[in-house]
Amino acid sequence: MSIILIVLIAINCIVSFKGFNDLSFFRKYEFHVGSIRAGDQIRMFSSAFLHVDIAHLAFNMLTLYLFAPYVIYSLGNQSFVITYLASLVFGNLLTMLLHKNDYNYRAVGASGAVMGIVYAAILVQPNLEIYFMPGYIFGIIYLFYSIYGMKAKSDNIGHTAHFGGAIGGYVITLCQVPQMFTENTMTVVLLAVPIVILFVMAKMGKI
């Protein structure tokens, strides 16, 4: 296993366990729209290393552990870290964009960054299967599910961060490996469809 991946998982665990046992620490570094708009920008980054509970942390770290090796093998450690951090930022920026007027909106978790790694893995490994289906099919279904979740607002899942992270993984991977546009055109185009639909819906005020 890559030492970079081990370090990243360790940081998530250390920060999350600190948050589990210190509510003031958790509140200080969670994603909170009102605080961020008041100038507390560190929350845009720090919130992605906090988790609600052990199950939340374990699910994200297990997903990262399973999909990161595909990205590391194909792109290298440096590109993996860039993709992870960029996806983290994309996830929280999209969340801020769509929830900027909801001053009480709160969120934590590495889900956005992890989803970015999942989408990067789908791009660099065209034959990857997830839940017994081609990776790109899973990606399309998941993004449409995220759009539904963002619109329904019926649960506590950070669908917006998931979607933003997926966009980050998609964009950054294509920037690093532009030949995918010609070598893996179908996957690139199909994964773009729900992204375009999201922004059209947002423009129309339907999300």
Side-chain angles (χ1 to χ4, degrees):
M1 186 194 299
S2 164
I3 186 66
I4 297 296
L5 177 57
I6 294 173
V7 169
L8 194 54
I9 292 175
I11 292 172
N12 272 280
C13 290
I14 291 168
V15 175
S16 292
F17 273 93
K18 172 66 175 174
F20 297 157
N21 298 297
D22 187 341
L23 183 59
S24 62
F25 177 86
F26 186 92
R27 292 301 183 202
K28 182 178 181 180
Y29 293 109
E30 68 179 348
F31 185 99
H32 179 244
V33 171
S35 299
I36 294 170
R37 292 198 63 170
D40 200 359
Q41 302 296 326
I42 187 64
R43 293 169 181 264
M44 291 285 288
F45 183 79
S46 62
S47 60
F49 293 92
L50 290 167
H51 289 80
V52 173
D53 52 31
I54 292 177
H56 186 207
L57 172 66
F59 179 80
N60 275 337
M61 293 305 99
L62 177 60
T63 304
L64 181 63
Y65 173 81
L66 292 173
F67 286 92
Y70 294 109
V71 181
I72 293 170
Y73 175 79
S74 299
L75 303 179
N77 280 310
Q78 182 176 342
S79 291
F80 162 69
V81 172
I82 290 171
T83 304
Y84 183 92
L85 295 178
S87 299
L88 183 164
V89 171
F90 268 75
N92 282 342
L93 283 176
L94 184 62
T95 302
M96 194 64 191
L97 176 66
L98 297 183
H99 293 278
K100 62 181 181 294
N101 295 320
D102 184 357
Y103 282 71
N104 292 318
Y105 185 89
R106 302 172 184 271
V108 293
S111 302
V114 172
M115 285 310 302
I117 295 302
V118 171
Y119 277 77
I122 291 171
L123 284 169
V124 299
Q125 296 289 335
N127 297 320
L128 180 65
E129 288 195 357
I130 305 174
Y131 296 125
F132 308 106
M133 68 181 79
Y136 69 90
I137 296 296
F138 169 83
I140 293 168
I141 292 173
Y142 192 90
L143 288 189
F144 277 121
Y145 165 69
S146 294
I147 291 175
Y148 169 78
M150 291 159 66
K151 189 173 176 60
K153 299 178 182 177
S154 58
D155 55 38
N156 293 319
I157 298 173
H159 297 287
T160 311
H162 292 181
F163 202 108
I167 294 173
Y170 177 85
V171 170
I172 298 303
T173 302
L174 290 176
C175 286
Q176 294 179 98
V177 193
Q179 59 265 36
M180 286 186 184
F181 283 104
T182 55
E183 296 177 358
N184 196 12
T185 306
M186 183 180 74
T187 299
V188 171
V189 171
L190 289 176
L191 286 176
V193 171
I195 296 173
V196 172
I197 290 174
L198 172 71
F199 282 103
V200 170
M201 291 178 67
K203 187 73 173 177
M204 297 171 65
K206 294 188 175 181
I207 288 186

